[in-house]
Amino acid sequence: MNRPGTKAKASPAIDGGDADWPRQKAALLRDSVGVGVAVGALGLSFGALAVLAGFSVAQSCVLSLLMFSGASQFAVIGVLGAGGSPFAGAATAGLLGVRNSLYGLALSRVLRVRGARRALAAHLVLDESSGMAMGRPTERASRLAFWATGTAVFVFWNAATFAGAVGAEALPDPAALGLDVASPAAFTALLMPRLRGPRLWVLAGAAAVTALATTLVLPAGVPVLVAGFVACSAGLLTRRRRGGGDVPGDAGDDAVRHAAQERSGTPEKVEAAGTVETVEAVKAVGERDAERDVERGTARKRDAERHGDT
């Protein structure tokens, strides 16, 4: 609590750290451009693979402009290039894009956009832009990280798509370069960083085995949907058996618990971290503090009475 007559000192975590903001802004912009360049390199392979799958340069570019979701785009050209139906390609792309809606729910509280800007923000919700935005110390930094990263990825991805498509179309026989293995390699590169813990490895293995087994009997594109359904169902079942949480003893759970115990906030804030034990501990501390305040107040009252008697 502030003393009477004094001004409250602004906290850098609350006001955004105005003094240090130029340096933070420069670092965020530099990192965003770096992410855009890295993702753009993958766009080269997409453009080439799209042409190899039968798309024209214009169709490849329109797909990147309007869909703008790397994994979903690779799924579309993979299914259609293998002879699958447009429905199977669209369903596979939609299944892979579900995670973006979850990102959007988390980012909506930070971006706070409406109207046309909301539609534009939804188009820029990606793994990269969401990852750069989440975990920033201030909302201003989160918003800048999201918009800068999303814009950088959009520009470099579409430019790389055009370059890759034009390059592949100019080659007399692009299939001779073995570009057909680039799509599975790209999917593997996207998947590997997300396989954290043995449970996720088992789910990924089960999905791969399911896809390979059903490829022999189902039309192109459908095995991916079946494998995705099996993986999602197995993940939900194991999660329910574990009480709705991830693998017990994960480092992430320990980190959350430790952070909650370190906080000096209210029990409601600690409870938001999902740590019931910490909530009880904070409540106990609050009760002890209240008892001490009562004891101190009683002691002061006795002292005052004594002084009054004398």
Side-chain angles (χ1 to χ4, degrees), residues 71 96 127 184-196 200-201 203-205 207-208:
L96 291 171
D127 294 334
F187 268 116
T188 303
L190 292 170
L191 179 65
M192 291 298 290
R194 293 168 174 77
L195 297 181
R196 301 171 183 173
L200 295 180
W201 277 99
L203 290 175

Side-chain angles (χ1 to χ4, degrees), residues 44-103:
L44 287 170
S45 63
F46 170 76
L49 287 171
V51 170
L52 190 63
F55 287 74
S56 66
V57 174
Q59 289 171 334
S60 304
C61 292
V62 169
L63 190 61
S64 282
L65 285 169
L66 299 182
M67 181 173 282
F68 189 47
S69 179
S72 297
Q73 290 180 227
F74 277 110
V76 169
I77 64 173
V79 172
L80 297 181
S85 67
F87 172 78
T92 305
L95 182 63
L96 291 171
V98 167
R99 70 188 187 283
N100 289 353
S101 62
L102 302 179
Y103 294 154

Side-chain angles (χ1 to χ4, degrees), residues 101-268:
S101 62
L102 302 179
Y103 294 154
L105 290 175
L107 290 169
S108 62
R109 296 188 294 270
V110 176
L111 299 179
R112 300 175 184 176
V113 289
R114 298 185 182 280
R117 291 193 65 193
R118 189 179 185 90
L120 178 60
H123 198 54
L124 296 181
V125 173
L126 310 164
D127 294 334
E128 295 80 12
S129 60
S130 302
M132 287 285 288
M134 294 176 183
R136 298 291 170 181
T138 63
E139 288 189 358
R140 178 165 66 170
S142 295
R143 286 192 289 268
L144 176 62
F146 172 82
W147 287 109
T149 305
T151 302
V153 172
F154 184 83
V155 171
F156 284 104
W157 175 266
N158 283 280
T161 296
F162 176 75
V166 170
E169 194 174 59
L171 295 174
D173 186 14
L177 298 178
L179 293 176
D180 54 330
V181 301
S183 183
F187 268 116
T188 303
L190 292 170
L191 179 65
M192 291 298 290
R194 293 168 174 77
L195 297 181
R196 301 171 183 173
R199 172 171 165 267
L200 295 180
W201 277 99
V202 171
L203 290 175
V209 170
T210 302
L212 291 174
T214 54
T215 299
L216 302 175
V217 295
L218 295 177
V222 178
V224 178
L225 297 176
V226 175
F229 176 77
V230 170
C232 292
S233 300
L236 290 174
L237 288 175
T238 55
R239 189 179 181 86
R240 186 174 300 173
R241 290 177 181 176
R242 295 179 185 277
D246 286 332
V247 180
D250 279 356
D253 294 339
D254 295 338
V256 170
R257 185 176 293 106
H258 178 71
Q261 290 172 347
E262 293 272 17
R263 289 178 185 170
S264 58
T266 62
E268 288 77 10

